[in-house]
Amino acid sequence: MPQNKPIPFLDFAAMHAELRPELDAAFQRVLDSNYLILGSEVEQFENEFAAYCDASHAIGVGNGLDALFLILKAMDIGPGDEVIVPSNTYIATWLAVSYAGATPVPVEPDSATYNIDPARIEAAITPRTRAIMPVHLYGQPADMDAIMEIAARHKLKVIEDAAQAHGARYRGRRVGALGDAAGFSFYPGKNLGALGDGGAIVTNDAVLAARLRILRNYGSSVKYHNDVKGYNSRLDELQAAFLRAKLKGLDLGNERRRAVAARLTEGLSGSDLVLPFVPDWAEPVWHLFVVRTLAREALQAQLGERGIGSMIHYPIAPHRQGAYAEMGLAEGALPIAEAIHREVLSLPIWPQLQAEQVERVIQVCLEAAAAGPRA
């Protein structure tokens, strides 16, 4: 491979090339079926994804945000209620709570794992708290046993935001079936990504699953009979067919990501970059490989000059976004999250990344570190 050939942050063409026959077959199958909404492809994918997550039920919905929002609605969590969320996350976690009419209450992360710190949760619980919504950020599980123990003592629901963690394990168990329900995203860049948007809810609660199936489809279980005020949020047949094809290779793709992450960790271990920390109870799927540095802009610029893609996940903490200005949380209110958002940079990591490409990423990062921050 030529040394000057760009390395994209994510290469969809390479990711899909291996599966092109299966994806073409999936498209043709749906085209020939005459069913485009809530047909057999969705039903089969739901069964297959539930089994993959070691759960009883999966409900396909329009996207990951809808998945979290609909869980809250199905649990009757809304105005006057509070939901504990991580201060360090993508804003969709908070938006789901706001859409339901409830109030997001941020809790700071563990500074090593970047996931919500269970030791800080109880201080945020009030008589209005109804649920805890941990995020398995970057594909690494949150400390679910500690979170579940707190929730049990305070009689709270636990809703996993598993949008980035398809296939991750916590103490040997798949994420998604660890709490009361979980929301997944199938945004194209996810480890299990559609060729458009999509999402799913996973749960072991049959009553909750039945209610969710009604809520996602205009509040109807029988066509034109609307039992409740529902929503239009349905995983479509075509995306379900594509996801079925991709699900078969998810574990292999995750293993390839682990190999890339291991080499990046080894190769960058002598640098001044803060590398990801993985507890011994966690088996992440490396949706993102995130490093921290005070010289983030300089490192990203030097990577870009050498044709290497990178991204910032995420540049602004949710409480500092204009969308949540009404909370009145000034700079410094949540300092751990703010520091993370100022310093993180995501390096390329995808299953088809070649060994020589990984070495180039390592080489440029080391050279940038040796050169020091730019004036």
Side-chain angles (χ1 to χ4, degrees), residues 27-266:
F27 174 79
Q28 196 62 52
R29 202 165 60 240
V30 174
L31 194 64
D32 293 342
S33 72
N34 258 352
Y35 280 94
L36 300 177
I37 302 291
L38 295 184
S40 64
E41 294 290 342
V42 169
E43 181 179 359
Q44 291 180 80
F45 172 71
E46 289 175 339
N47 292 336
E48 291 160 6
F49 191 61
Y52 178 84
C53 294
D54 299 324
S56 301
H57 307 278
I59 302 95
V61 295
N63 54 68
L65 173 55
D66 281 2
L68 297 173
F69 162 70
L70 289 170
I71 293 169
L72 291 164
K73 294 298 292 186
M75 291 178 172
D76 292 319
I77 295 174
D81 297 328
E82 294 176 348
V83 177
I84 290 174
V85 296
S87 59
N88 176 47
T89 185
Y90 182 53
I91 198 170
T93 312
W94 289 40
L95 288 175
V97 178
S98 298
Y99 287 178
T103 300
V105 177
V107 167
E108 288 272 70
D110 179 293
S111 58
T113 66
Y114 308 148
N115 279 324
I116 192 169
D117 186 349
R120 299 173 184 267
I121 289 176
E122 277 193 283
I125 295 174
T126 74
R128 297 171 59 190
T129 307
R130 293 285 310 281
I132 305 170
M133 189 179 284
V135 178
H136 304 307
L137 195 65
Y138 311 147
Q140 175 157 296
D143 190 354
M144 289 299 294
D145 282 354
I147 294 167
M148 294 300 293
E149 189 274 331
I150 294 167
R153 279 194 285 109
H154 293 273
K155 297 181 172 54
L156 304 176
K157 297 292 187 181
V158 176
I159 302 163
E160 298 172 72
D161 182 339
Q164 300 181 356
H166 314 73
R169 293 184 185 272
Y170 172 80
R171 301 189 186 277
R173 295 170 288 159
R174 297 271 197 200
V175 305
L178 304 176
D180 294 286
F184 286 86
S185 167
F186 302 129
Y187 183 78
K190 305 298 187 184
N191 292 37
L192 180 61
L195 273 68
D197 228 331
I201 298 159
V202 169
T203 183
N204 285 318
D205 185 332
V207 174
L208 184 69
R211 188 169 191 190
L212 285 161
R213 292 184 191 282
I214 291 172
L215 282 174
R216 72 169 175 186
N217 189 34
Y218 296 102
S220 173
S221 57
V222 177
K223 195 173 181 67
Y224 301 132
H225 293 256
N226 303 86
D227 303 314
V228 297
K229 296 181 181 70
Y231 306 87
N232 175 16
S233 182
R234 303 169 300 199
L235 181 66
D236 70 67
E237 284 286 282
L238 187 57
Q239 299 306 330
F242 290 148
L243 289 165
R244 292 184 66 204
K246 288 190 165 191
L247 181 59
K248 296 172 183 176
L250 177 57
D251 284 342
L252 175 59
N254 287 342
E255 283 302 318
R256 290 175 172 177
R257 288 174 180 267
R258 289 188 184 101
V260 173
R263 178 59 194 133
L264 288 171
T265 301
E266 178 185 40

Side-chain angles (χ1 to χ4, degrees), residues 291-349:
V291 299
R292 285 179 71 178
T293 173
L294 294 172
R296 177 177 69 188
E297 283 68 29
L299 174 58
Q300 186 171 40
Q302 290 179 65
L303 287 166
E305 289 169 4
R306 300 285 289 275
I308 298 172
S310 63
M311 291 190 69
I312 299 171
H313 296 89
Y314 301 96
I316 304 172
H319 72 282
R320 298 296 296 149
Q321 297 277 9
Y324 284 98
E326 79 277 2
M327 295 180 75
L329 293 173
E331 185 174 354
L334 297 166
I336 300 176
E338 290 171 22
I340 291 170
H341 286 254
R342 282 195 303 268
E343 299 169 12
V344 291
L345 185 68
S346 301
L347 302 179
I349 185 167

